[in-house]
Amino acid sequence: MDDGFGLGDRCYPQLLDTSLDGELKSFLIDEDELHTYDDLTKVNPVTPSTVLKCLQARYSVKVFYTHAGCTLVALNPFQPVPHLYSPEVMKEYHCARQPQEFKPHIFVVAEEAYRNIQGQVEPVDQSLVVSGESGAGKTWTTRCLMKYYSTIAASSSQKCQNMIERIEKRVLDSNPIMEAFGNACTSRNNNSSRFGKYIQLQLNTSHLLVGASVQTYLLEKTRIVKQGADERNFHIFYQMMKGATEEQRKEWKIPRDQHFTWLPNADRTLEEDCFQDTVAAMGHMGIATETQGQIFQMLAGLLNLGNVTFCPSADESQPCDLQEEAAGFLRAAASLLHVSAEQLESCLKLRVLQAGKQSVLKPCSREECGIRRDCLAKLIYARVFDWLVAFINKSMCASSSSWCNFIGLLDVYGFECFVLNNLEQLCINYANEKLQQHFVAHYLKAQQEEYVSEGLVWSFVQYQDNQSCLHLLEGSPNGIFSLLNEECRLNRGADAQQFRTRLQRELSGNACMSWDTFSKQPHFTVSHYAGRVSYQIEGMVEKNRDPVPPELIHMLQGSQDSLLQSLFADGNADDSSGRRHTKVVTVVSKFKNSLESLMKILHSTTPHYTRCIKPNPECRPLTFKKEEVILQLEACGIVETINISAAGFPIRIPHLCFLKRYGLIANSRISWQSVEESEPEAGSDTVAHAVVAVLNEVLRCHSLEPLRYPGTRTHGSLVHCGETKAFLTHFMLELLEEHRGRARSQRASVIQCCWRRYCRRKRAAQACAAARIQAAVRSWLVRKEVLRWCRAATIIQRQWQGWRARMEALAETELDDVTDTEKTSWGCTGLSLQLSTHQEPVILWAWPVGLALASAPTVTVAMTVTNIQKMVSLFACLKLSFPSFSYKVETNQFEQGVASIRAQPQESIRLHLQRSPLPYSDTHPDKRGVTGFNQILLEKT
């Protein structure tokens, strides 16, 4: 049996090479053109070997992104490529009409998600899942996505520019803080995320970035106290050691030449060791300088606490003793944590046991003292990390009323397999199994089942389903996690061998689990989708229980440091006091609950998967190892994804949603009545026929074969109309969007024409109404003026008539009182007047003579006077000089130009005006003068 197994192992590469030659014989005829395949669905035939060869060809010419159907494959170059992520490239992809026509890039996936939000494609919220093993480039990809959205989702208006810049700055500054406190150097990656995070970028109704929030999962806090070979602690400790000033070193009690146990490989310098960047980011995030100092003092206290070691006491009933150099480190740690050194030492050496209502102090063994010290360090660091996450969320999270959609970025730890694997690796790989199941359920399984249910002729593509492995891990009551939690609830010490025996008894029938019976260390092996991993059982139960001695919490609650005290202000010591009836909340339980909430979010959003591939395990730049890459391709199901994407339809839209978006293309009343009036069920024939009509309208415009209902898909078709959904390829979706844009432009033009006609008619009506109002106002003003003149004329006439009557009465009185006392010898008996209108002189006898005498142009006077009074009156009227200067007559009417009131005209008076009586109506520019309503008004006036 052994020989056969060994022969099989030795022959596998040879068989692979033989099959590779057969598969690639036709595919590699023109090997120089392989790097031009932007989408792996163009590869024919699609096999792991052909896909591997294509990726290798693209990687050799420094092309790191390749489409694989509905996913994006990203190969880590392990070297900076700044021109690939510049702001100019971001704008180029964002402003492109069809980003899919550009070269594959992470920005294509980002822009597709952003346009789905803009187009309100259901489900509207988007999730970008970045997966891959440790060191594949997930953290860098997430960083690029955040930078892209911070750039394109910013407002151009000055009003909200400052707020957007502030949010953008804080979103970007959250990265260095989270990476400094949550990332570390491992044997597989220099900047490995030791926690999972889901970042929600919050967008308002205008699709602008208004806030963000971060949700974290399972911080690997055991790294504080234990690091593997060639690995390091979290970055922040090395940043402090290398970037602190001499004054800070003195304050934090971390001398430059001091060796700290929890700080291995301190001489190694990485790009992430930049303390000033972290401090600047914390400042931009709003963390006060004083608060930063408190945080760094706590971290420095943990470093000093790591150097506190114990030696067993000679008397077992007495507590352990501190080693010689440990006392100074303990005092330094107590000073930095602002607690009493005696209280800290007592909490590490003595434990409190509850005996009824009394408390009993019991000395701890050397191992127990070390465990309590490690527990204190992990507890403080975990609380500091949680406080930072909460502060970041508070500083950049928008109110629920100001945002309506979000884009989620998921960056979780990749699949891990180390020499020694424990509970942390089990939880990490379990999270990757859940994400792989989501991918399988969404892309591989659900799509194919949906094709069949919708009436599409489909032959199933076989794929690797990891449901059995998930059942092994999370199954109840006999899953690994269930048995582990049950072991933690039992009132007994952890026994690795006993737990292994129980696992073997309960799970021996599961094909995904195996044991090495000859191993000295108890362990079990799980066959994950990405490979087999052996987990050490020793210490797993204690890590899952994660007990916290209550006296440690009480000590920290009494700290003089305000920040440290606030971290444990809400801590309830009774939960960890060791009461047996209290329900134990294990690490696995909390992690499963948080992971389940994450999966609910992913299921409610539209996912976009990016598969990061690690080309070589040594992280060497531009080095491609086939064995390393092909294992990752097979593990994540890339080949199956390509086959389904090439043969299927990546876009699936329900009929009603399809008609609401594209119904205007066909311009048929049926579609609009179906959607807006009757709202029939999605599977009705009316709606299906309306969908077919829209699709055929597009197909006929491009000289493609129209679709018949019920549609039967043939090879190479672009669309299929199912029972409840329309299935489209990306090309067909582009055609639909193009026709929709054209139809909207046409309707927009019609709306603009109607609106302009309406506005012009409205303006004309308003002008006509204004003219009528102006004419009415002017006529009213004229009538008012004429009435005023009439009243004035009436008053003048009344005054004139009264005055004339008085004058006549006065004249009669004067004439009646005069007697002839003197006669003249002039012999004139009459007055002869020569007028210009008569040839012969006109002789007027006696008196009165009238006003005509005064206005006659030429007058010839011949007098016959029989009465001196009449003569004098005549001379005064004509303003003639008297023969004798000794006699002068002046009447009281002389200054008014008349000699007697009887000389006034007896006819009616007419007023002749040189200007029009309508001063405001004669304003028309026409030479013909006043027309229209004003002319009528003048005629009536």
Side-chain angles (χ1 to χ4, degrees):
M1 176 178 282
D2 292 342
D3 291 343
F5 182 80
L7 179 63
D9 268 358
R10 289 192 296 269
C11 291
Y12 180 74
Q14 183 178 358
L15 294 175
L16 178 63
D17 293 341
T18 304
S19 62
L20 178 64
D21 293 339
E23 293 171 351
L24 301 184
K25 185 175 182 181
S26 59
F27 178 67
L28 300 181
I29 294 176
D30 193 359
E31 192 169 345
D32 296 336
E33 300 297 326
L34 289 179
H35 67 276
T36 62
Y37 287 12
D38 290 341
D39 197 329
L40 294 177
T41 56
K42 300 176 182 178
V43 175
N44 189 20
V46 179
T47 64
S49 301
T50 56
V51 171
L52 177 68
K53 194 67 178 178
C54 185
L55 290 176
Q56 184 179 13
R58 293 176 63 81
Y59 192 74
S60 62
V61 294
K62 298 183 179 181
V63 179
F64 309 113
Y65 291 104
T66 308
H67 289 300
C70 53
T71 63
L72 180 71
V73 177
L75 294 169
N76 194 342
F78 292 115
Q79 68 178 14
V81 192
H83 68 275
L84 202 57
Y85 309 97
S86 63
E88 292 76 15
V89 176
M90 296 181 187
K91 293 180 181 179
E92 182 180 359
Y93 279 91
H94 178 58
C95 299
R97 183 178 179 85
Q98 295 293 339
Q100 291 80 7
E101 297 177 357
F102 283 57
K103 293 182 179 180
H105 201 290
I106 187 62
F107 295 157
V108 174
V109 181
E111 184 62 24
E112 181 182 357
Y114 187 70
R115 294 192 181 188
N116 284 352
I117 289 236
Q118 290 180 319
Q120 297 292 295
V121 179
E122 294 290 342
V124 180
D125 296 329
Q126 310 289 308
S127 290
L128 279 69
V129 183
V130 184
S131 61
E133 69 173 51
S134 180
K138 301 183 300 298
T139 300
W140 170 259
T141 302
T142 305
R143 193 186 306 171
C144 293
L145 290 171
M146 293 179 66
K147 180 64 177 176
Y148 182 80
Y149 286 123
S150 300
T151 301
I152 68 167
S155 173
S156 58
S157 63
Q158 189 64 30
K159 182 178 180 180
C160 55
Q161 185 68 27
N162 295 334
M163 183 193 72
I164 295 296
E165 288 181 355
R166 179 177 62 84
I167 295 298
E168 173 189 350
K169 185 67 176 174
R170 292 193 174 186
V171 169
L172 295 179
D173 283 335
S174 65
N175 254 335
I177 299 175
M178 301 294 288
E179 291 184 12
F181 285 83
N183 289 21
C185 176
T186 65
S187 59
R188 298 178 63 85
N189 185 9
N190 290 340
N191 190 30
S192 176
S193 297
R194 307 319 300 162
F195 70 104
K197 62 177 179 288
Y198 185 73
I199 305 171
Q200 277 190 353
L201 302 179
Q202 300 159 349
L203 307 176
N204 61 8
T205 54
S206 301
H207 314 121
L208 300 179
L209 181 65
V210 295
S213 64
V214 181
Q215 186 176 356
T216 59
Y217 306 93
L218 190 65
L219 174 70
E220 189 189 18
K221 56 186 180 181
T222 55
R223 182 166 291 272
I224 292 289
V225 299
K226 185 178 180 181
Q227 305 81 31
D230 298 329
E231 294 190 355
R232 301 202 318 175
N233 210 322
F234 291 103
H235 292 323
I236 186 62
F237 294 106
Y238 299 92
Q239 292 179 1
M240 291 173 56
M241 288 297 297
K242 296 179 181 181
T245 62
E246 293 300 329
E247 182 180 356
Q248 290 173 334
R249 290 180 181 277
K250 184 177 180 180
E251 179 184 358
W252 299 339
K253 298 177 174 53
I254 49 173
R256 187 178 298 274
D257 56 350
Q258 180 62 52
H259 171 74
F260 292 101
T261 306
W262 290 347
L263 214 61
N265 301 311
D267 55 340
R268 185 189 303 178
T269 302
L270 300 178
E271 180 184 355
E272 291 74 19
D273 296 340
C274 189
F275 184 60
Q276 300 305 323
D277 289 349
T278 303
V279 173
M282 294 175 73
H284 293 154
M285 194 59 63
I287 302 177
T289 305
E290 181 182 357
T291 307
Q292 296 179 29
Q294 292 176 308
I295 294 175
F296 295 137
Q297 280 189 5
M298 294 181 205
L299 300 182
L302 299 186
L303 290 179
N304 283 277
L305 186 64
N307 283 10
V308 176
T309 55
F310 303 90
C311 58
S313 175
D315 187 359
E316 294 183 357
S317 62
Q318 297 298 321
C320 295
D321 298 328
L322 293 174
Q323 293 187 355
E324 295 181 1
E325 299 179 355
F329 291 111
L330 186 138
R331 288 192 296 270
S335 175
L336 292 168
L337 297 177
H338 295 275
V339 296
S340 170
E342 292 76 12
Q343 186 181 9
L344 176 59
E345 182 178 0
S346 174
C347 289
L348 296 180
K349 291 182 178 181
L350 301 174
R351 60 175 176 172
V352 180
L353 299 179
Q354 292 293 130
K357 296 183 179 180
Q358 296 181 351
S359 299
V360 179
L361 296 178
K362 181 179 180 181
C364 298
S365 63
R366 178 182 178 183
E367 290 76 12
E368 290 175 341
C369 291
I371 292 175
R372 294 169 75 87
R373 175 202 61 201
D374 296 349
C375 179
L376 178 62
K378 293 186 293 184
L379 179 64
I380 294 176
Y381 193 83
R383 293 293 179 94
V384 170
F385 185 81
D386 292 341
W387 182 88
L388 283 172
V389 173
F391 189 93
I392 290 173
N393 286 334
K394 183 179 179 180
S395 64
M396 66 181 185
C397 185
S399 61
S400 58
S401 60
S402 61
W403 63 278
C404 56
N405 300 115
F406 68 86
I407 298 177
L409 308 179
L410 180 61
D411 176 20
V412 296
Y413 10 58
F415 186 83
E416 292 185 349
C417 180
F418 300 126
V419 176
L420 297 177
N421 304 283
N422 210 283
L423 182 65
E424 296 81 10
Q425 282 68 43
L426 183 63
C427 291
I428 288 173
N429 293 339
Y430 167 65
N432 282 272
E433 289 282 356
K434 292 290 287 186
L435 293 177
Q436 178 66 13
Q437 184 202 35
H438 178 265
F439 175 77
V440 168
H442 186 80
Y443 282 115
L444 305 183
K445 182 178 180 180
Q447 280 192 19
Q448 299 191 86
E449 292 178 350
E450 192 173 33
Y451 291 157
V452 175
S453 64
E454 292 287 337
L456 181 65
V457 179
W458 182 262
S459 58
F460 271 86
V461 176
Q462 298 298 323
Y463 57 88
Q464 180 183 357
D465 193 351
N466 65 336
Q467 183 58 46
S468 59
C469 182
L470 278 174
H471 183 71
L472 169 67
L473 295 174
E474 62 181 7
S476 180
N478 293 327
I480 294 178
F481 288 157
S482 298
L483 296 175
L484 187 59
N485 288 336
E486 185 178 346
E487 191 72 17
C488 293
R489 297 188 188 100
L490 297 177
N491 186 16
R492 64 186 182 189
D495 189 341
Q497 191 63 40
Q498 184 177 4
F499 183 58
R500 178 188 180 280
T501 302
R502 187 179 183 187
L503 287 176
Q504 192 170 3
R505 181 177 66 251
E506 298 290 346
L507 303 174
S508 58
N510 196 303
C512 295
M513 194 168 185
S514 59
W515 294 265
D516 184 3
T517 56
F518 299 101
S519 176
K520 297 181 180 180
Q521 297 293 334
H523 72 282
F524 60 89
T525 302
V526 177
S527 298
H528 292 283
Y529 76 95
R532 296 164 58 90
V533 182
S534 295
Y535 299 97
Q536 304 298 320
I537 301 179
E538 189 68 41
M540 185 175 290
V541 176
E542 284 299 322
K543 287 183 178 181
N544 186 44
R545 187 180 288 134
D546 194 21
V548 178
E551 51 270 21
L552 294 181
I553 295 181
H554 288 309
M555 178 190 68
L556 296 175
Q557 288 176 341
S559 172
Q560 300 301 315
D561 186 292
S562 59
L563 179 59
L564 182 59
Q565 187 180 13
S566 66
L567 296 180
F568 297 90
D570 57 347
N572 189 359
D574 294 339
D575 293 342
S576 305
S577 60
R579 294 182 182 179
R580 302 308 179 187
H581 300 290
T582 304
K583 183 178 179 179
V584 179
V585 181
T586 62
V587 173
V588 167
S589 298
K590 291 187 289 187
F591 182 67
K592 280 186 63 178
N593 292 336
S594 60
L595 196 58
E596 287 299 328
S597 64
L598 172 64
M599 299 310 298
K600 289 181 180 179
I601 295 176
L602 293 181
H603 284 297
S604 64
T605 60
T606 300
H608 305 266
Y609 270 88
T610 300
R611 295 291 192 179
C612 295
I613 303 296
K614 188 176 183 179
N616 63 87
E618 296 83 13
C619 302
R620 290 199 299 265
L622 300 178
T623 302
F624 191 94
K625 290 191 174 182
K626 298 180 181 180
E627 299 81 4
E628 182 78 10
V629 175
I630 199 169
L631 289 176
Q632 298 176 61
L633 294 176
E634 292 176 345
C636 61
I638 288 293
V639 176
E640 294 83 355
T641 304
I642 297 171
N643 284 324
I644 295 176
S645 298
F649 301 96
I651 295 96
R652 304 175 305 279
I653 306 177
H655 285 169
L656 290 179
C657 296
F658 181 90
L659 289 178
K660 287 180 180 180
R661 185 167 182 83
Y662 303 109
L664 75 167
I665 296 177
N667 198 21
S668 62
R669 296 182 178 179
I670 298 178
S671 61
W672 293 109
Q673 290 175 355
S674 301
V675 177
E676 296 180 355
E677 297 179 4
S678 58
E679 288 290 345
E681 296 182 357
S684 67
D685 293 339
T686 305
V687 177
H689 279 91
V691 172
V692 172
V694 174
L695 294 173
N696 287 338
E697 183 74 19
V698 177
L699 293 173
R700 278 193 291 266
C701 291
H702 294 272
S703 302
L704 298 173
E705 182 181 356
L707 192 65
R708 293 189 300 272
Y709 183 81
T712 55
R713 180 185 179 276
T714 58
H715 182 71
S717 65
L718 302 176
V719 63
H720 173 78
C721 183
E723 298 293 334
T724 61
K725 293 182 180 180
F727 295 86
L728 314 171
T729 61
H730 283 290
F731 180 70
M732 188 64 191
L733 181 65
E734 293 174 5
L735 294 181
L736 284 169
E737 288 293 333
E738 178 183 351
H739 281 262
R740 178 175 179 267
R742 192 179 305 163
R744 293 180 69 187
S745 298
Q746 293 175 355
R747 284 156 178 77
S749 299
V750 173
I751 293 173
Q752 289 174 355
C753 293
C754 295
W755 174 253
R756 289 168 182 165
R757 182 173 61 247
Y758 165 77
C759 291
R760 182 166 298 179
R761 290 179 177 178
K762 184 179 180 181
R763 284 195 297 268
Q766 290 176 346
C768 182
R772 292 180 180 179
I773 293 173
Q774 290 173 0
V777 171
R778 288 169 181 166
S779 63
W780 176 79
L781 291 174
V782 169
R783 287 194 299 270
K784 183 178 179 182
E785 188 71 13
V786 169
L787 291 174
R788 189 174 68 86
W789 289 348
C790 290
R791 289 193 298 270
T794 303
I795 294 173
I796 293 172
Q797 290 174 356
R798 188 183 303 115
Q799 294 295 329
W800 167 256
Q801 292 171 359
W803 178 82
R804 188 177 62 177
R806 289 192 298 270
M807 291 300 101
E808 288 179 351
L810 180 61
E812 290 290 341
T813 304
E814 290 177 355
L815 293 177
D816 292 342
D817 293 340
V818 175
T819 60
D820 296 337
T821 59
E822 184 179 358
K823 291 184 179 180
T824 180
S825 60
W826 287 359
C828 296
T829 59
L831 178 64
S832 177
L833 298 178
Q834 181 67 44
L835 301 176
S836 59
T837 58
H838 294 80
Q839 297 179 357
E840 299 295 333
V842 179
I843 300 175
L844 294 101
W845 298 97
W847 186 95
V849 293
L851 285 178
L853 298 177
S855 61
T858 59
V859 179
T860 303
V861 180
M863 297 185 189
T864 301
V865 180
T866 58
N867 189 311
I868 187 61
Q869 182 70 30
K870 293 181 179 180
M871 184 193 69
V872 173
S873 299
L874 178 61
F875 272 67
C877 179
L878 298 175
K879 297 182 181 180
L880 300 176
S881 60
F882 289 89
S884 177
F885 293 98
S886 61
Y887 188 86
K888 183 178 181 181
V889 178
E890 289 185 4
T891 63
N892 55 349
Q893 295 92 3
F894 191 82
E895 293 180 356
Q896 281 74 26
V898 293
S900 176
I901 193 63
R902 292 176 180 269
Q904 302 302 323
Q906 302 302 316
E907 300 178 359
S908 62
I909 299 174
R910 284 193 179 183
L911 299 177
H912 296 277
L913 304 179
Q914 296 179 356
R915 299 179 60 187
S916 171
L918 305 178
Y920 297 100
S921 63
D922 192 10
T923 59
H924 199 282
D926 195 348
K927 295 181 180 180
R928 294 176 296 177
V930 181
T931 59
F933 180 78
N934 293 331
Q935 183 179 4
I936 298 172
L937 181 62
L938 283 175
E939 292 175 355
K940 290 184 178 181
T941 304

